[in-house]
Amino acid sequence: METSEPALTALAAWALVPMVLHVGLVVGLYVVLTWTRLIVVKRGQATKADFARADGDPRLSARIQRNLANQFEAPVFAWIGLGLLILTGQINTLDVAAAWLFLIGRVIHSAVQCTSDNVALRGQVFTINFVAILWLMAHATWVVVLSL
């Protein structure tokens, strides 16, 4: 019987763990947003129809709604960069560290954005994510350019 190599290297698997946890963060934000919207409807601060518009959320749920939207903006580049590195077999320990830094930054950014109006602090913690994304995209770009 022939044995095959594992589909992922250990480094690739360790890099994907924070990305899978990021999906968990997104699911958690959907749950919190749904719960918060139920609360504002029950309080009479909004109707279900208000949520049909992007600007329909009252203050309590608007922060969460905006943060949830943020999870599909810059983080997409972390996924792309990491995916390219795994597909090309060029992932290294710095990439794994960047993936974890990305997750940590996303969690902190979500906590700040969902619980406060401190835009300056939110910008500072966003930098954590942005550095990780820049690293992953720069390394992936380097790998692609070298393969030309």
Side-chain angles (χ1 to χ4, degrees):
M1 178 180 233
E2 198 174 311
T3 60
S4 62
E5 302 231 355
L8 290 175
T9 65
L11 276 178
W14 275 109
L16 285 172
V17 169
M19 305 312 279
V20 171
L21 292 173
H22 179 246
V23 173
L25 173 64
V26 170
V27 170
L29 286 167
Y30 272 116
V31 169
V32 171
L33 179 62
T34 301
W35 182 259
T36 305
R37 284 178 169 176
L38 288 171
I39 290 170
V40 297
V41 167
K42 187 173 182 177
R43 288 181 183 171
Q45 297 170 332
T47 66
K48 292 178 183 178
D50 290 333
F51 305 124
R53 298 183 330 268
D55 64 347
D57 279 278
R59 187 178 179 128
L60 182 62
S61 58
R63 286 187 198 143
I64 300 162
Q65 186 274 336
R66 185 64 198 125
N67 185 261
L68 185 56
N70 287 162
Q71 303 306 321
F72 300 97
E73 294 169 357
V76 169
F77 293 102
W79 281 91
I80 291 168
L82 192 62
L84 285 170
L85 292 167
I86 290 170
L87 284 172
T88 59
Q90 298 297 312
I91 194 160
N92 63 38
T93 54
L94 289 175
D95 302 322
V96 174
W100 283 96
L101 184 64
F102 162 79
L103 176 67
I104 292 164
R106 281 280 90 192
V107 169
I108 295 169
H109 183 265
S110 292
V112 170
Q113 187 172 14
C114 292
T115 61
S116 80
D117 288 328
N118 191 337
V119 177
L121 178 60
R122 194 168 78 219
Q124 292 168 347
V125 298
F126 176 77
T127 303
I128 298 168
N129 307 285
F130 196 63
V131 167
I133 292 167
L134 281 177
W135 171 263
L136 291 169
M137 284 305 299
H139 187 201
T141 301
W142 182 253
V143 166
V144 168
V145 168
L146 286 180
S147 69
L148 294 176

